[in-house]
Amino acid sequence: MSTLKHALQHHLFPNDSATYRDYLQGLATDAGVGFDGVRPWDMMVHDDRLWRRIVSEGSLGAGEAYMDGWWDCKSLDEFFARIIRAGIDRKVISVNNLRLVLSAKLQNLQTPQRATSVAHRHYDLSTDLYRAMLDKRMIYSCGYWASAANLDEAQEAKLSLVCRKLGLEPGMRVLDIGCGWGGAARYAAENFGVEVTGITVSQEQHRIAEETCKGLPVDIQVADYRTLNGQFDRIMSIGMFEHVGYKNYKTYFRKALDLLTPDGLFLLHTIGNNRSGSITEPWIEKYIFPNSMLPSAAQITRALEGLFVIEDWHGFGVDYDRTLMSWHQNLERNWSSLDAAFDERFRRMWTYYLLCSAGAFRARSNQLWQLLLSPNGVPGGCRTIR
């Protein structure tokens, strides 16, 4: 495959950087993006090897070149919003994409054995990093900005929205699938008088969540969702479904159905993709979220069919743009406290991750959905809550 790739590249492009640059500039023109220009979203190129690296390695090469300091951009978020909106990201495809697609087709990338890889790579990375970046409750998912003035307010509004949609009442047993650092479990227990069982595959999240929820009727466990037993009046899963994988969607919803009482409700909060796929973007896969993927609406509804009634489907993906920009601003403001723990290459990697993600939501390529589900349909229906 590597030999074929190089042969094709040699046939299509002479071995000089100007030809590669001209080719990429032609693609970028429709997006209104330039190279070494004066606009904040123009690329500032520091190494002429960049052009061939992008053509050869696609988005993985572009991301790694940014980490290596080969190029900069004053407004990475807007750069990506324009590139993605114009579809440039789908035109520069490399062998890395094919490798990931084949891997996802030939094996289950999200088995219980593989599920912990994202915990080790990402969620166990550094509690100090997440404290510096997130809100006071350490909620690592999209905030709800309808009437919020800052990140703390947006995350509290999101948690309130989730709990009100679920109709939480004192004494209910609630399952939090993918409980993170325990912020949502604590909020529900403190404000609605419920008992919460939270699960995570991250040892570090488990440790922090137990501290966060100390003294409350909250039980935090290190567990894969597939191993759970019991009955719960309500289930919430906030920002975890992106790690389930399309081969496991049916299993995931069947397990949720088994765990839910017949008159219960399940709220699924997930990032979504406009297109059905089986992999994530290669750079994100390698450096940020291994074995992850974003579901499409079609993939979700196929997996739900015959199991749940969709009571409500609420989309507010534009709020994730603002959430990610707030995380980036927090990190920039607090970076001096982390400087000794992380080098410049890591800082560039994390900046790239946050701002390319913000650009994807701004371009409306990525979505944020909250689905309210019931096993048998709520008599009379559910009142829409926003």
Side-chain angles (χ1 to χ4, degrees):
M1 186 178 293
S2 178
T3 302
L4 175 61
K5 178 184 73 171
H6 289 302
L8 287 171
Q9 288 167 354
H10 181 75
H11 175 72
L12 291 172
F13 304 105
N15 191 22
D16 67 277
S17 60
T19 303
Y20 289 94
R21 178 188 171 113
D22 291 346
Y23 168 69
L24 292 173
Q25 181 65 79
L27 291 179
T29 298
D30 290 342
V33 171
F35 304 135
D36 298 325
V38 298
R39 297 168 300 187
W41 53 83
D42 288 338
M43 292 178 71
M44 304 302 293
V45 179
H46 310 309
D47 192 315
D48 281 342
R49 292 176 295 173
L50 173 69
W51 315 115
R52 181 167 185 170
R53 190 171 185 178
I54 293 177
V55 173
S56 173
E57 301 172 23
S59 61
L60 178 60
E64 290 183 332
Y66 183 85
M67 292 164 61
D68 292 338
W70 288 18
W71 65 282
D72 280 294
C73 181
K74 290 181 180 179
S75 181
L76 266 179
D77 49 303
E78 187 59 23
F79 167 83
F80 278 108
R82 290 168 178 266
I83 289 293
I84 294 170
R85 195 178 293 124
I88 308 303
D89 58 316
R90 297 194 301 274
K91 295 177 182 177
V92 183
I93 303 297
S94 77
V95 71
N96 301 307
N97 298 73
L98 179 59
R99 176 185 60 81
L100 287 175
V101 169
L102 288 175
S103 181
K105 295 293 185 184
L106 295 174
Q107 56 186 322
N108 185 347
L109 299 180
Q110 296 84 16
T111 61
Q113 294 75 25
R114 290 174 177 268
T116 56
S117 62
V118 71
H120 299 323
R121 178 82 62 84
H122 194 82
Y123 297 108
D124 290 343
L125 183 61
S126 167
T127 299
D128 289 339
L129 173 71
Y130 292 112
R131 287 195 195 281
M133 185 177 83
L134 303 177
D135 65 299
K136 64 183 180 182
R137 288 188 172 88
M138 292 182 69
I139 305 299
Y140 195 19
S141 53
C142 182
Y144 190 54
W145 292 87
S147 58
N150 56 56
L151 182 61
D152 284 341
E153 291 181 6
Q155 293 296 11
E156 182 168 348
K158 188 266 298 296
L159 296 178
S160 173
L161 184 71
V162 168
C163 293
R164 288 184 291 118
K165 284 181 177 181
L166 285 170
L168 297 188
E169 296 178 358
M172 283 184 172
R173 296 191 66 226
V174 178
L175 172 64
D176 184 358
I177 302 177
C179 65
W181 294 277
R186 176 172 178 166
Y187 180 88
E190 283 185 331
N191 292 279
F192 291 86
V194 296
E195 299 177 10
V196 184
T197 296
I199 64 166
T200 175
V201 294
S202 164
Q203 295 286 346
E204 181 65 7
Q205 285 188 334
H206 174 261
R207 182 180 70 83
I208 299 300
E210 284 198 317
E211 294 176 5
T212 297
C213 299
K214 188 175 182 180
L216 293 168
V218 176
D219 176 30
I220 305 295
Q221 303 176 15
V222 176
D224 185 279
Y225 68 92
R226 285 161 282 209
T227 67
L228 290 178
N229 294 299
Q231 285 279 282
F232 298 89
D233 302 297
R234 300 291 189 266
I235 298 175
M236 58 183 178
S237 184
I238 305 173
M240 174 271 179
F241 194 66
E242 299 88 339
H243 303 299
V244 170
Y246 77 105
K247 289 188 176 181
N248 304 303
Y249 288 163
K250 200 76 175 181
T251 298
Y252 176 87
F253 286 118
R254 281 176 177 151
K255 173 55 71 171
L257 185 64
D258 288 343
L259 295 169
L260 197 60
T261 58
D263 60 348
L265 290 172
F266 172 27
L267 186 135
L268 176 68
H269 172 117
T270 183
I271 300 172
N273 201 323
N274 292 337
R275 302 165 185 267
S276 295
S278 58
I279 61 170
T280 193
E281 189 277 327
W283 185 87
I284 292 289
E285 158 70 25
K286 182 174 181 179
Y287 289 99
I288 307 298
F289 294 118
N291 303 326
S292 65
M293 62 160 287
L294 302 183
S296 69
Q299 288 170 325
I300 291 174
T301 54
R302 279 197 299 269
L304 283 173
E305 188 172 341
L307 299 175
F308 283 100
V309 174
I310 301 174
E311 301 288 350
D312 186 38
W313 192 309
H314 183 188
F316 51 98
V318 292
D319 287 21
Y320 223 145
D321 179 6
R322 193 169 176 183
T323 301
L324 284 153
M325 295 306 293
S326 295
W327 291 346
H328 177 252
Q329 291 159 12
N330 283 349
L331 207 56
E332 289 288 289
R333 184 171 57 251
N334 298 318
W335 186 257
S336 60
S337 67
L338 302 168
D339 213 12
F342 299 103
D343 61 16
E344 177 64 10
R345 194 168 193 266
F346 179 91
R347 188 188 71 80
R348 292 179 69 87
M349 178 188 80
W350 210 256
T351 295
Y352 194 85
Y353 151 54
L354 293 175
L355 295 184
C356 75
S357 299
F361 283 99
R362 193 174 308 165
R364 302 309 312 281
S365 173
N366 288 353
Q367 310 301 326
L368 189 286
W369 298 319
Q370 281 189 357
L371 280 70
L372 186 64
L373 311 171
S374 68
N376 302 303
V378 175
C382 281
R383 180 170 60 90
T384 299
I385 295 174
R386 295 291 183 264

